[in-house]
Amino acid sequence: MAKAHFGLIGLGVMGENLVLNAERNGFSSVVYNRTYSKTEHFLNGIGEGKAISGAIDLKDFVNQLERPRRILMMVKAGSATDAVIQQISQYLEEDDLLIDGGNSLFSDTERRVAELESKSFGYIGMGVSGGAKGALEGPSMMPGGTKSSYTAIESLLTKMAAQVEDGPCVTYIGPGGSGHFVKTVHNGIEYGIEQILSESYDLMKRVCGMNCDQISEVFGMWNQTEELSSYLVEITEKCLQEKDPDDGTDLVEKIMDKAGQKGTGLWTVISALQLGASVPTIYASLNARVMSSMKAQRENAEIVFGPPHSSYFDLGSQSDGMPPLMDAVVLSTIASYAQGMDLLMLASREYNYDLHMPSIAQIWKGGCIIRSTLLTRIQEAFLSKPDLPNLIVDPWFTDQIKQRLPGLAKVVSVSADAGIPVPCFSSTLDYINSYKTARLPQNLVQAMRDCFGSHTYERTDRIGSFHTEWEH
Ligand code: NBP
Protein backbone atom coordinates (compact mmCIF):
# COMPACT_ATOMS: atom_id res chain seq x y z
CA MET A 1 0.00 0.00 0.00
CA ALA A 2 1.32 3.47 -0.86
CA LYS A 3 2.52 5.41 2.12
CA ALA A 4 0.71 8.58 3.16
CA HIS A 5 2.21 12.04 2.58
CA PHE A 6 1.07 13.58 5.84
CA GLY A 7 0.24 12.51 9.40
CA LEU A 8 -2.06 14.16 11.91
CA ILE A 9 -2.15 13.45 15.65
CA GLY A 10 -5.16 14.64 17.66
CA LEU A 11 -8.65 14.56 16.22
CA GLY A 12 -10.10 17.53 18.10
CA VAL A 13 -12.00 20.14 16.13
CA MET A 14 -8.80 21.68 14.72
CA GLY A 15 -7.10 18.39 13.86
CA GLU A 16 -10.12 17.00 12.03
CA ASN A 17 -10.45 20.08 9.87
CA LEU A 18 -6.75 20.49 9.16
CA VAL A 19 -6.39 16.92 7.92
CA LEU A 20 -9.40 17.36 5.64
CA ASN A 21 -7.75 20.52 4.34
CA ALA A 22 -4.45 18.69 3.67
CA GLU A 23 -6.23 15.85 1.91
CA ARG A 24 -8.26 18.23 -0.24
CA ASN A 25 -4.97 19.78 -1.33
CA GLY A 26 -3.61 16.46 -2.54
CA PHE A 27 -1.79 15.13 0.53
CA SER A 28 -2.93 11.61 1.38
CA SER A 29 -3.03 11.38 5.16
CA VAL A 30 -3.01 9.12 8.15
CA VAL A 31 -4.59 10.10 11.47
CA TYR A 32 -3.99 8.99 15.04
CA ASN A 33 -5.98 9.88 18.14
CA ARG A 34 -5.43 8.73 21.73
CA THR A 35 -8.98 7.39 21.94
CA TYR A 36 -9.36 5.14 18.91
CA SER A 37 -13.16 5.34 18.85
CA LYS A 38 -12.80 8.99 17.83
CA THR A 39 -10.60 7.91 14.90
CA GLU A 40 -13.25 5.40 13.80
CA HIS A 41 -15.99 7.98 14.19
CA PHE A 42 -14.00 10.40 12.01
CA LEU A 43 -13.17 7.84 9.31
CA ASN A 44 -16.78 6.65 9.12
CA GLY A 45 -18.11 10.20 9.20
CA ILE A 46 -16.61 13.34 7.65
CA GLY A 47 -13.42 11.46 6.72
CA GLU A 48 -15.22 8.80 4.72
CA GLY A 49 -14.29 8.41 1.06
CA LYS A 50 -11.17 10.56 1.47
CA ALA A 51 -7.53 9.57 1.05
CA ILE A 52 -7.24 9.36 4.84
CA SER A 53 -6.49 6.21 6.80
CA GLY A 54 -6.47 5.61 10.55
CA ALA A 55 -3.79 4.24 12.83
CA ILE A 56 -4.49 2.19 15.89
CA ASP A 57 -1.27 3.21 17.67
CA LEU A 58 1.76 5.42 17.06
CA LYS A 59 3.89 2.59 15.67
CA ASP A 60 1.22 1.82 13.10
CA PHE A 61 0.92 5.59 12.45
CA VAL A 62 4.61 6.14 11.60
CA ASN A 63 4.70 2.94 9.52
CA GLN A 64 1.94 4.29 7.31
CA LEU A 65 3.89 7.48 6.50
CA GLU A 66 6.39 8.05 3.69
CA ARG A 67 9.87 9.24 4.72
CA PRO A 68 10.91 11.81 5.72
CA ARG A 69 7.70 11.93 7.73
CA ARG A 70 5.69 15.10 8.10
CA ILE A 71 3.57 14.97 11.23
CA LEU A 72 1.29 17.65 12.64
CA MET A 73 0.29 17.43 16.32
CA MET A 74 -2.98 19.14 17.26
CA VAL A 75 -3.28 18.38 20.96
CA LYS A 76 -3.62 20.49 24.08
CA ALA A 77 -0.62 22.63 24.94
CA GLY A 78 1.62 21.64 27.85
CA SER A 79 1.90 18.13 29.25
CA ALA A 80 -0.27 16.57 26.49
CA THR A 81 2.14 17.85 23.84
CA ASP A 82 5.16 16.62 25.83
CA ALA A 83 3.50 13.23 26.27
CA VAL A 84 2.87 12.83 22.53
CA ILE A 85 6.44 13.90 21.68
CA GLN A 86 7.82 11.45 24.19
CA GLN A 87 5.65 8.59 22.88
CA ILE A 88 6.37 9.16 19.19
CA SER A 89 10.09 9.96 19.46
CA GLN A 90 11.04 6.27 19.73
CA TYR A 91 9.59 5.63 16.27
CA LEU A 92 10.97 8.67 14.46
CA GLU A 93 14.00 8.52 12.16
CA GLU A 94 16.51 11.08 10.93
CA ASP A 95 15.00 14.05 9.09
CA ASP A 96 11.43 13.25 10.16
CA LEU A 97 9.59 16.44 11.00
CA LEU A 98 7.20 17.07 13.89
CA ILE A 99 5.02 20.17 13.81
CA ASP A 100 3.23 21.38 16.94
CA GLY A 101 0.16 23.31 15.76
CA GLY A 102 -1.31 23.75 19.27
CA ASN A 103 -1.25 26.92 21.31
CA SER A 104 2.02 26.13 23.05
CA LEU A 105 3.92 28.48 25.29
CA PHE A 106 6.80 29.79 23.19
CA SER A 107 9.42 28.93 25.81
CA ASP A 108 8.21 25.28 25.77
CA THR A 109 8.71 25.34 22.00
CA GLU A 110 12.25 26.71 22.40
CA ARG A 111 13.05 23.74 24.64
CA ARG A 112 11.42 21.20 22.32
CA VAL A 113 13.15 22.55 19.20
CA ALA A 114 16.52 22.19 20.94
CA GLU A 115 15.76 18.69 22.24
CA LEU A 116 14.29 17.26 19.03
CA GLU A 117 16.83 18.81 16.70
CA SER A 118 19.65 17.37 18.83
CA LYS A 119 18.24 13.96 17.82
CA SER A 120 18.30 14.95 14.10
CA PHE A 121 14.53 15.34 13.88
CA GLY A 122 13.02 18.55 12.54
CA TYR A 123 10.68 20.46 14.85
CA ILE A 124 8.38 23.32 13.98
CA GLY A 125 6.29 25.24 16.53
CA MET A 126 3.42 26.64 14.53
CA GLY A 127 0.65 28.98 15.59
CA VAL A 128 -2.61 28.25 13.75
CA SER A 129 -5.51 30.68 13.71
CA GLY A 130 -8.93 30.55 12.15
CA GLY A 131 -10.97 28.22 14.34
CA ALA A 132 -12.66 25.16 12.85
CA LYS A 133 -13.78 26.89 9.65
CA GLY A 134 -10.36 28.40 9.03
CA ALA A 135 -8.66 25.06 9.65
CA LEU A 136 -10.85 23.48 6.98
CA GLU A 137 -10.95 26.25 4.38
CA GLY A 138 -7.54 27.84 4.96
CA PRO A 139 -6.10 29.11 8.22
CA SER A 140 -3.38 31.64 8.92
CA MET A 141 -0.28 29.77 10.05
CA MET A 142 2.78 31.02 11.90
CA PRO A 143 5.57 28.41 11.74
CA GLY A 144 8.84 28.87 13.64
CA GLY A 145 11.92 26.66 13.92
CA THR A 146 14.92 26.09 11.69
CA LYS A 147 14.59 27.39 8.14
CA SER A 148 15.43 23.97 6.66
CA SER A 149 12.56 22.36 8.60
CA TYR A 150 10.21 25.01 7.26
CA THR A 151 11.44 24.47 3.71
CA ALA A 152 10.56 20.78 4.04
CA ILE A 153 6.89 21.60 4.63
CA GLU A 154 6.55 24.87 2.75
CA SER A 155 4.63 23.39 -0.19
CA LEU A 156 2.16 21.66 2.13
CA LEU A 157 1.57 24.77 4.24
CA THR A 158 1.26 27.21 1.36
CA LYS A 159 -1.44 25.02 -0.21
CA MET A 160 -3.33 24.61 3.07
CA ALA A 161 -3.22 28.29 4.10
CA ALA A 162 -5.79 30.97 3.40
CA GLN A 163 -4.94 32.96 0.27
CA VAL A 164 -5.10 36.75 0.00
CA GLU A 165 -4.32 39.04 -2.93
CA ASP A 166 -0.60 39.08 -2.14
CA GLY A 167 -0.08 35.42 -1.35
CA PRO A 168 -0.75 32.60 1.12
CA CYS A 169 -1.29 33.38 4.80
CA VAL A 170 1.79 31.52 5.92
CA THR A 171 5.45 32.43 5.99
CA TYR A 172 8.58 31.38 7.80
CA ILE A 173 8.40 33.39 11.03
CA GLY A 174 11.84 32.80 12.52
CA PRO A 175 13.85 30.46 14.76
CA GLY A 176 12.93 28.60 17.95
CA GLY A 177 9.61 29.52 19.53
CA SER A 178 9.01 32.58 17.34
CA GLY A 179 5.96 31.05 15.60
CA HIS A 180 4.23 30.38 18.89
CA PHE A 181 5.26 33.79 20.20
CA VAL A 182 3.63 35.49 17.21
CA LYS A 183 0.49 33.37 17.67
CA THR A 184 0.37 34.31 21.35
CA VAL A 185 0.48 38.00 20.50
CA HIS A 186 -2.13 37.45 17.77
CA ASN A 187 -4.39 36.08 20.48
CA GLY A 188 -3.61 39.01 22.77
CA ILE A 189 -4.74 41.40 20.02
CA GLU A 190 -7.82 39.21 19.55
CA TYR A 191 -8.67 39.52 23.26
CA GLY A 192 -8.43 43.31 22.91
CA ILE A 193 -10.70 43.59 19.89
CA GLU A 194 -13.33 41.23 21.34
CA GLN A 195 -13.52 43.34 24.49
CA ILE A 196 -13.62 46.59 22.47
CA LEU A 197 -16.60 45.37 20.45
CA SER A 198 -18.31 44.16 23.62
CA GLU A 199 -17.84 47.56 25.28
CA SER A 200 -19.45 49.29 22.30
CA TYR A 201 -22.41 46.86 22.43
CA ASP A 202 -22.82 47.58 26.15
CA LEU A 203 -22.87 51.34 25.60
CA MET A 204 -25.35 51.11 22.72
CA LYS A 205 -27.59 48.97 24.92
CA ARG A 206 -27.30 50.75 28.24
CA VAL A 207 -26.55 54.35 27.30
CA CYS A 208 -28.45 54.61 24.03
CA GLY A 209 -31.29 52.17 24.82
CA MET A 210 -30.82 50.21 21.58
CA ASN A 211 -31.92 46.61 21.09
CA CYS A 212 -29.78 43.81 19.61
CA ASP A 213 -31.16 44.22 16.08
CA GLN A 214 -30.39 47.94 16.09
CA ILE A 215 -26.92 47.33 17.51
CA SER A 216 -26.33 44.63 14.92
CA GLU A 217 -27.16 47.13 12.17
CA VAL A 218 -24.47 49.48 13.47
CA PHE A 219 -21.90 46.68 13.39
CA GLY A 220 -23.08 45.93 9.84
CA MET A 221 -22.40 49.56 8.87
CA TRP A 222 -19.01 49.55 10.57
CA ASN A 223 -18.09 46.40 8.70
CA GLN A 224 -18.46 48.35 5.44
CA THR A 225 -15.80 50.89 6.45
CA GLU A 226 -12.09 50.62 5.71
CA GLU A 227 -11.21 51.21 9.36
CA LEU A 228 -13.41 48.47 10.84
CA SER A 229 -14.10 45.89 8.15
CA SER A 230 -13.02 42.66 9.82
CA TYR A 231 -13.98 39.13 10.72
CA LEU A 232 -14.69 40.00 14.36
CA VAL A 233 -17.03 42.88 13.48
CA GLU A 234 -18.73 40.63 10.92
CA ILE A 235 -19.42 37.85 13.45
CA THR A 236 -20.51 40.37 16.09
CA GLU A 237 -23.21 41.56 13.67
CA LYS A 238 -24.33 37.93 13.24
CA CYS A 239 -24.18 37.01 16.96
CA LEU A 240 -26.46 39.92 17.80
CA GLN A 241 -29.06 38.80 15.24
CA GLU A 242 -29.32 35.26 16.59
CA LYS A 243 -32.58 34.42 18.37
CA ASP A 244 -33.26 31.78 20.99
CA PRO A 245 -35.25 29.09 19.13
CA ASP A 246 -37.33 28.53 22.29
CA ASP A 247 -38.87 31.98 22.51
CA GLY A 248 -37.50 34.09 19.66
CA THR A 249 -35.71 36.56 21.96
CA ASP A 250 -32.10 37.67 21.53
CA LEU A 251 -29.84 34.71 22.30
CA VAL A 252 -26.89 36.90 23.32
CA GLU A 253 -28.90 38.24 26.24
CA LYS A 254 -29.26 34.72 27.63
CA ILE A 255 -25.53 33.98 27.66
CA MET A 256 -23.81 34.06 31.05
CA ASP A 257 -21.52 37.09 31.25
CA LYS A 258 -18.40 35.15 32.20
CA ALA A 259 -15.49 34.84 29.76
CA GLY A 260 -12.60 32.44 30.21
CA GLN A 261 -8.97 32.99 29.34
CA LYS A 262 -7.04 29.92 28.35
CA GLY A 263 -3.45 31.09 28.45
CA THR A 264 -2.40 33.04 25.37
CA GLY A 265 -3.87 36.36 26.57
CA LEU A 266 -2.14 35.92 29.90
CA TRP A 267 1.15 34.98 28.20
CA THR A 268 0.92 38.09 26.02
CA VAL A 269 0.65 40.31 29.07
CA ILE A 270 3.38 38.46 31.00
CA SER A 271 5.72 38.72 28.00
CA ALA A 272 4.93 42.41 27.64
CA LEU A 273 5.76 43.06 31.28
CA GLN A 274 8.98 41.04 30.99
CA LEU A 275 10.08 42.82 27.82
CA GLY A 276 8.97 46.30 28.87
CA ALA A 277 6.25 46.69 26.22
CA SER A 278 3.29 48.93 27.04
CA VAL A 279 0.10 46.95 26.23
CA PRO A 280 -2.65 48.57 28.35
CA THR A 281 -5.53 47.94 25.93
CA ILE A 282 -4.67 44.24 25.72
CA TYR A 283 -4.12 44.03 29.47
CA ALA A 284 -7.48 45.71 30.08
CA SER A 285 -9.20 43.06 27.96
CA LEU A 286 -7.57 40.27 29.95
CA ASN A 287 -8.53 41.91 33.22
CA ALA A 288 -12.09 42.39 31.96
CA ARG A 289 -12.34 38.62 31.52
CA VAL A 290 -10.94 38.05 35.01
CA MET A 291 -13.46 40.51 36.44
CA SER A 292 -16.27 38.90 34.44
CA SER A 293 -15.54 35.55 36.05
CA MET A 294 -16.20 37.06 39.50
CA LYS A 295 -19.93 36.83 38.88
CA ALA A 296 -21.12 36.16 42.44
CA GLN A 297 -19.01 39.00 43.86
CA ARG A 298 -20.28 41.42 41.22
CA GLU A 299 -23.87 40.48 41.92
CA ASN A 300 -23.35 41.03 45.62
CA ALA A 301 -21.61 44.38 45.06
CA GLU A 302 -24.41 45.61 42.82
CA ILE A 303 -26.78 45.06 45.73
CA VAL A 304 -24.42 46.96 48.04
CA PHE A 305 -23.78 49.90 45.70
CA GLY A 306 -27.00 49.86 43.68
CA PRO A 307 -27.16 49.51 39.90
CA PRO A 308 -25.54 52.15 37.68
CA HIS A 309 -27.98 55.05 37.24
CA SER A 310 -29.62 54.67 33.87
CA SER A 311 -29.15 57.83 31.85
CA TYR A 312 -29.42 58.52 28.17
CA PHE A 313 -26.40 60.00 26.47
CA ASP A 314 -26.06 60.95 22.83
CA LEU A 315 -23.44 58.87 21.06
CA GLY A 316 -24.43 59.97 17.58
CA SER A 317 -27.23 58.81 15.35
CA GLN A 318 -27.63 55.17 14.46
CA SER A 319 -28.09 56.00 10.78
CA ASP A 320 -24.69 57.75 10.76
CA GLY A 321 -22.99 54.76 12.43
CA MET A 322 -22.73 56.49 15.84
CA PRO A 323 -19.61 58.55 15.00
CA PRO A 324 -18.07 59.04 18.48
CA LEU A 325 -18.55 55.38 19.32
CA MET A 326 -17.00 54.38 16.01
CA ASP A 327 -14.08 56.70 16.85
CA ALA A 328 -13.61 54.86 20.14
CA VAL A 329 -13.76 51.45 18.46
CA VAL A 330 -11.37 52.43 15.65
CA LEU A 331 -8.76 53.95 17.96
CA SER A 332 -8.94 51.10 20.48
CA THR A 333 -8.59 48.56 17.67
CA ILE A 334 -5.60 50.47 16.31
CA ALA A 335 -4.14 50.55 19.84
CA SER A 336 -4.53 46.76 20.18
CA TYR A 337 -2.64 46.16 16.94
CA ALA A 338 -0.04 48.86 17.78
CA GLN A 339 0.62 47.34 21.20
CA GLY A 340 0.84 43.81 19.79
CA MET A 341 3.23 44.90 17.02
CA ASP A 342 5.33 46.81 19.56
CA LEU A 343 5.60 43.68 21.70
CA LEU A 344 6.63 41.65 18.64
CA MET A 345 9.36 44.13 17.76
CA LEU A 346 10.75 44.07 21.31
CA ALA A 347 10.66 40.25 21.37
CA SER A 348 12.37 40.13 18.00
CA ARG A 349 15.29 42.15 19.36
CA GLU A 350 15.44 40.36 22.73
CA TYR A 351 15.18 36.79 21.38
CA ASN A 352 16.91 37.38 17.99
CA TYR A 353 13.78 36.29 16.11
CA ASP A 354 14.44 38.70 13.23
CA LEU A 355 10.70 39.09 12.67
CA HIS A 356 9.62 40.70 9.43
CA MET A 357 6.70 42.91 10.47
CA PRO A 358 5.14 43.44 7.00
CA SER A 359 5.03 39.66 6.48
CA ILE A 360 3.33 39.12 9.84
CA ALA A 361 0.68 41.70 8.91
CA GLN A 362 0.31 39.99 5.53
CA ILE A 363 -0.31 36.49 6.91
CA TRP A 364 -2.91 37.88 9.32
CA LYS A 365 -4.92 39.39 6.45
CA GLY A 366 -6.73 36.12 5.73
CA GLY A 367 -7.81 32.98 7.56
CA CYS A 368 -7.24 34.20 11.09
CA ILE A 369 -9.54 35.62 13.73
CA ILE A 370 -8.02 39.14 13.67
CA ARG A 371 -8.12 39.51 9.86
CA SER A 372 -9.18 43.00 8.89
CA THR A 373 -8.67 45.66 6.25
CA LEU A 374 -6.57 47.62 8.77
CA LEU A 375 -3.86 45.00 8.35
CA THR A 376 -3.19 46.26 4.84
CA ARG A 377 -2.45 49.70 6.35
CA ILE A 378 -0.28 48.04 9.01
CA GLN A 379 1.61 46.10 6.35
CA GLU A 380 2.16 49.30 4.33
CA ALA A 381 3.29 51.23 7.41
CA PHE A 382 6.05 48.70 8.18
CA LEU A 383 7.00 48.35 4.53
CA SER A 384 7.49 52.08 4.12
CA LYS A 385 9.39 52.42 7.43
CA PRO A 386 10.88 49.13 8.68
CA ASP A 387 12.14 50.79 11.89
CA LEU A 388 8.79 52.41 12.68
CA PRO A 389 8.86 52.82 16.49
CA ASN A 390 5.09 52.51 16.87
CA LEU A 391 2.21 52.14 14.44
CA ILE A 392 0.52 55.27 15.77
CA VAL A 393 3.28 57.50 14.41
CA ASP A 394 2.77 56.26 10.85
CA PRO A 395 1.10 59.17 8.98
CA TRP A 396 -2.15 57.32 8.14
CA PHE A 397 -2.60 56.17 11.75
CA THR A 398 -1.58 59.56 13.16
CA ASP A 399 -4.27 61.13 11.02
CA GLN A 400 -6.86 58.68 12.36
CA ILE A 401 -5.86 59.53 15.91
CA LYS A 402 -6.03 63.28 15.33
CA GLN A 403 -9.50 62.97 13.82
CA ARG A 404 -10.95 60.48 16.28
CA LEU A 405 -9.43 61.36 19.66
CA PRO A 406 -12.24 63.79 20.64
CA GLY A 407 -14.80 61.03 19.93
CA LEU A 408 -12.92 58.52 22.07
CA ALA A 409 -12.61 61.10 24.88
CA LYS A 410 -16.34 61.78 24.71
CA VAL A 411 -17.18 58.07 24.91
CA VAL A 412 -14.92 57.57 27.94
CA SER A 413 -16.40 60.61 29.65
CA VAL A 414 -20.01 59.56 28.93
CA SER A 415 -19.26 56.06 30.24
CA ALA A 416 -17.78 57.46 33.42
CA ASP A 417 -20.87 59.64 33.93
CA ALA A 418 -23.14 56.64 33.33
CA GLY A 419 -21.12 54.36 35.64
CA ILE A 420 -20.46 51.88 32.85
CA PRO A 421 -17.04 50.20 32.69
CA VAL A 422 -15.13 50.64 29.44
CA PRO A 423 -11.68 49.30 30.35
CA CYS A 424 -10.35 49.05 26.80
CA PHE A 425 -11.65 52.45 25.71
CA SER A 426 -10.29 54.23 28.77
CA SER A 427 -6.95 52.38 28.61
CA THR A 428 -6.63 53.34 24.98
CA LEU A 429 -7.30 56.99 25.75
CA ASP A 430 -4.58 56.96 28.40
CA TYR A 431 -2.23 55.03 26.12
CA ILE A 432 -2.53 57.53 23.30
CA ASN A 433 -2.44 60.56 25.60
CA SER A 434 0.64 59.18 27.36
CA TYR A 435 2.43 58.22 24.15
CA LYS A 436 2.02 61.72 22.73
CA THR A 437 3.09 63.52 25.92
CA ALA A 438 6.73 64.56 25.90
CA ARG A 439 6.85 65.19 29.65
CA LEU A 440 5.04 62.79 31.96
CA PRO A 441 4.88 63.15 35.78
CA GLN A 442 7.43 60.40 36.43
CA ASN A 443 9.86 63.15 37.49
CA LEU A 444 7.91 63.21 40.77
CA VAL A 445 7.99 59.40 41.02
CA GLN A 446 11.78 59.61 40.68
CA ALA A 447 11.96 62.28 43.39
CA MET A 448 9.96 60.08 45.81
CA ARG A 449 12.12 57.04 45.04
CA ASP A 450 15.25 59.04 45.67
CA CYS A 451 13.72 60.47 48.87
CA PHE A 452 12.86 57.15 50.52
CA GLY A 453 15.37 54.82 48.88
CA SER A 454 18.29 56.93 47.58
CA HIS A 455 17.61 55.50 44.13
CA THR A 456 19.10 58.63 42.48
CA TYR A 457 17.67 60.42 39.47
CA GLU A 458 18.74 61.90 36.16
CA ARG A 459 18.27 65.61 35.44
CA THR A 460 16.96 67.30 32.32
CA ASP A 461 19.63 70.00 32.42
CA ARG A 462 22.77 68.03 33.33
CA ILE A 463 24.30 64.65 32.55
CA GLY A 464 24.84 62.26 35.44
CA SER A 465 23.19 60.57 38.38
CA PHE A 466 21.99 62.73 41.29
CA HIS A 467 20.87 62.29 44.88
CA THR A 468 19.25 64.83 47.18
CA GLU A 469 18.58 64.80 50.94
CA TRP A 470 14.86 65.55 50.58
CA GLU A 471 13.79 65.29 54.24
CA HIS A 472 15.57 67.91 56.30
P1 NBP B 1 -8.53 19.50 21.81
O1 NBP B 1 -7.40 20.12 22.53
O2 NBP B 1 -9.88 19.66 22.34
O3 NBP B 1 -8.33 17.93 21.59
C1 NBP B 1 -7.07 17.38 21.49
C2 NBP B 1 -7.11 16.00 20.88
O4 NBP B 1 -5.82 15.49 21.16
C3 NBP B 1 -8.13 15.03 21.47
O5 NBP B 1 -8.79 14.39 20.41
C4 NBP B 1 -7.26 14.08 22.29
O6 NBP B 1 -7.67 12.74 22.28
C5 NBP B 1 -5.95 14.13 21.57
N1 NBP B 1 -4.81 13.72 22.42
C6 NBP B 1 -3.83 12.90 22.04
BR1 NBP B 1 -3.70 12.19 20.40
N2 NBP B 1 -2.94 12.67 23.00
C7 NBP B 1 -3.38 13.37 24.04
C8 NBP B 1 -2.86 13.53 25.33
N3 NBP B 1 -1.72 12.94 25.71
N4 NBP B 1 -3.55 14.32 26.19
C9 NBP B 1 -4.67 14.94 25.79
N5 NBP B 1 -5.21 14.81 24.55
C10 NBP B 1 -4.57 14.03 23.69
O7 NBP B 1 -8.44 19.91 20.29
P2 NBP B 1 -8.53 21.29 19.53
O8 NBP B 1 -9.56 22.20 20.06
O9 NBP B 1 -8.56 20.88 18.12
O10 NBP B 1 -7.14 21.99 19.86
C11 NBP B 1 -5.89 21.41 19.53
C12 NBP B 1 -4.81 22.44 19.76
O11 NBP B 1 -5.00 23.53 18.85
C13 NBP B 1 -4.79 23.04 21.16
O12 NBP B 1 -3.47 23.30 21.55
C14 NBP B 1 -5.53 24.36 20.97
O13 NBP B 1 -5.17 25.32 21.93
C15 NBP B 1 -5.07 24.76 19.56
N6 NBP B 1 -5.97 25.66 18.83
C16 NBP B 1 -7.31 25.55 18.94
C17 NBP B 1 -8.14 26.41 18.22
C18 NBP B 1 -9.64 26.29 18.31
O14 NBP B 1 -10.33 27.18 17.75
N7 NBP B 1 -10.18 25.25 18.94
C19 NBP B 1 -7.57 27.36 17.38
C20 NBP B 1 -6.20 27.41 17.26
C21 NBP B 1 -5.39 26.55 18.00
P3 NBP B 1 -8.85 12.11 23.14
O15 NBP B 1 -9.93 11.90 22.14
O16 NBP B 1 -8.30 10.85 23.66
O17 NBP B 1 -9.19 13.08 24.24
Side-chain angles (χ1 to χ4, degrees):
M1 203 174 80
K3 302 258 181 185
H5 297 311
F6 172 67
L8 181 284
I9 299 177
L11 283 172
V13 63
M14 293 297 286
E16 279 187 352
N17 285 297
L18 283 166
V19 77
L20 292 172
N21 178 336
E23 194 270 351
R24 189 185 67 238
N25 282 292
F27 296 88
S28 59
S29 304
V30 52
V31 293
Y32 166 76
N33 192 64
R34 181 179 57 177
T35 308
Y36 185 66
S37 58
K38 209 186 256 184
T39 307
E40 286 182 313
H41 184 259
F42 171 77
L43 294 172
N44 297 327
I46 49 175
E48 193 172 9
K50 308 268 191 316
I52 304 176
S53 60
I56 193 118
D57 56 30
L58 284 171
K59 190 173 178 198
D60 178 27
F61 176 76
V62 294
N63 283 337
Q64 292 192 47
L65 281 164
E66 68 179 16
R67 289 188 62 195
R69 302 179 178 93
R70 289 171 290 191
I71 299 169
L72 174 62
M73 296 182 290
M74 289 308 294
V75 301
K76 283 191 180 23
S79 57
T81 303
D82 279 323
V84 171
I85 293 171
Q86 203 246 330
Q87 288 156 15
I88 199 168
S89 290
Q90 59 185 309
Y91 303 116
L92 295 181
E93 295 170 272
E94 199 171 330
D95 294 334
D96 285 350
L97 176 61
L98 259 186
I99 309 157
D100 169 18
N103 277 335
S104 290
L105 179 59
F106 77 103
S107 51
D108 282 347
T109 304
E110 301 279 353
R111 167 178 58 80
R112 291 170 188 146
V113 168
E115 279 170 15
L116 273 285
E117 300 232 325
S118 72
K119 296 178 183 168
S120 302
F121 309 145
Y123 192 84
I124 289 280
M126 181 170 79
V128 180
S129 177
K133 197 163 182 270
L136 180 65
E137 294 173 2
S140 172
M141 293 182 278
M142 295 146 251
T146 55
K147 187 75 197 281
S148 55
S149 294
Y150 174 72
T151 306
I153 45 152
E154 190 172 12
S155 68
L156 168 79
L157 297 182
T158 50
K159 287 196 180 98
M160 286 176 70
Q163 309 290 324
V164 289
E165 69 286 353
D166 50 356
C169 292
V170 63
T171 190
Y172 174 63
I173 297 290
S178 59
H180 278 137
F181 191 89
V182 170
K183 171 67 188 336
T184 296
V185 175
H186 164 287
N187 284 21
I189 296 169
E190 179 188 316
Y191 270 51
I193 298 172
E194 287 164 0
Q195 173 66 21
I196 289 158
L197 300 180
S198 301
E199 288 175 18
S200 65
Y201 144 79
D202 202 22
L203 290 176
M204 284 188 260
K205 181 170 81 168
R206 295 207 280 158
V207 164
C208 308
M210 293 160 64
N211 62 34
C212 280
D213 290 328
Q214 291 168 321
I215 300 171
S216 171
E217 276 176 38
V218 174
F219 281 103
M221 288 174 74
W222 289 351
N223 198 34
Q224 303 303 314
T225 63
E226 182 194 356
E227 295 87 340
L228 289 180
S229 173
S230 61
Y231 173 69
L232 283 169
V233 171
E234 180 191 317
I235 62 166
T236 306
E237 179 190 1
K238 290 181 184 154
C239 291
L240 287 161
Q241 285 167 1
E242 196 66 30
K243 305 295 174 204
D244 184 340
D246 289 342
D247 60 11
T249 61
D250 299 317
L251 183 59
V252 161
E253 298 305 338
K254 296 212 171 135
I255 297 178
M256 180 65 76
D257 52 329
K258 286 164 81 170
Q261 46 101 8
K262 279 199 287 187
T264 43
L266 176 69
W267 298 340
T268 303
V269 172
I270 291 174
S271 296
L273 293 173
Q274 285 170 338
L275 291 165
S278 177
V279 298
T281 308
I282 294 173
Y283 172 68
S285 68
L286 180 77
N287 190 54
R289 291 195 187 191
V290 173
M291 182 62 86
S292 81
S293 68
M294 297 159 55
K295 177 76 173 168
Q297 290 186 55
R298 290 188 288 112
E299 282 177 335
N300 183 49
E302 188 169 306
I303 294 166
V304 173
F305 289 99
H309 41 279
S310 55
S311 338
Y312 174 80
F313 289 94
D314 181 16
L315 287 177
S317 88
Q318 192 190 324
S319 56
D320 289 340
M322 323 217 39
L325 197 53
M326 180 171 163
D327 292 338
V329 173
V330 171
L331 292 195
S332 301
T333 303
I334 288 173
S336 292
Y337 283 116
Q339 292 165 21
M341 297 316 242
D342 191 26
L343 174 53
L344 288 181
M345 288 188 285
L346 279 166
S348 184
R349 285 196 284 275
E350 181 69 21
Y351 305 134
N352 297 317
Y353 283 160
D354 197 19
L355 299 179
H356 187 245
M357 302 306 289
S359 300
I360 292 171
Q362 191 267 328
I363 64 165
W364 286 350
K365 288 199 302 187
C368 74
I369 305 296
I370 62 168
R371 61 183 183 261
S372 68
T373 48
L374 264 187
L375 281 159
T376 302
R377 293 285 183 184
I378 296 172
Q379 184 185 12
E380 286 167 3
F382 285 107
L383 272 176
S384 65
K385 201 168 188 310
D387 59 348
L388 189 68
N390 188 303
L391 204 52
I392 65 180
V393 292
D394 167 83
W396 188 86
F397 288 97
T398 301
D399 195 44
Q400 287 290 319
I401 289 166
K402 285 183 176 166
Q403 284 176 38
R404 297 182 184 278
L405 202 54
L408 171 62
K410 178 178 177 180
V411 167
V412 172
S413 140
V414 158
S415 307
D417 284 343
I420 293 175
V422 284
C424 279
F425 290 158
S426 52
S427 301
T428 299
L429 184 61
D430 283 337
Y431 175 71
I432 294 171
N433 280 337
S434 295
Y435 193 85
K436 66 184 187 62
T437 298
R439 184 164 171 81
L440 290 168
Q442 272 58 36
N443 50 328
L444 184 55
V445 171
Q446 290 297 78
M448 287 183 258
R449 293 178 67 241
D450 188 51
C451 176
F452 65 71
S454 301
H455 290 292
T456 73
Y457 56 89
E458 290 176 277
R459 292 180 62 118
T460 56
D461 56 349
R462 281 180 242 161
I463 304 277
S465 183
F466 299 87
H467 170 64
T468 299
E469 289 302 321
W470 299 89
E471 291 183 292
H472 41 78

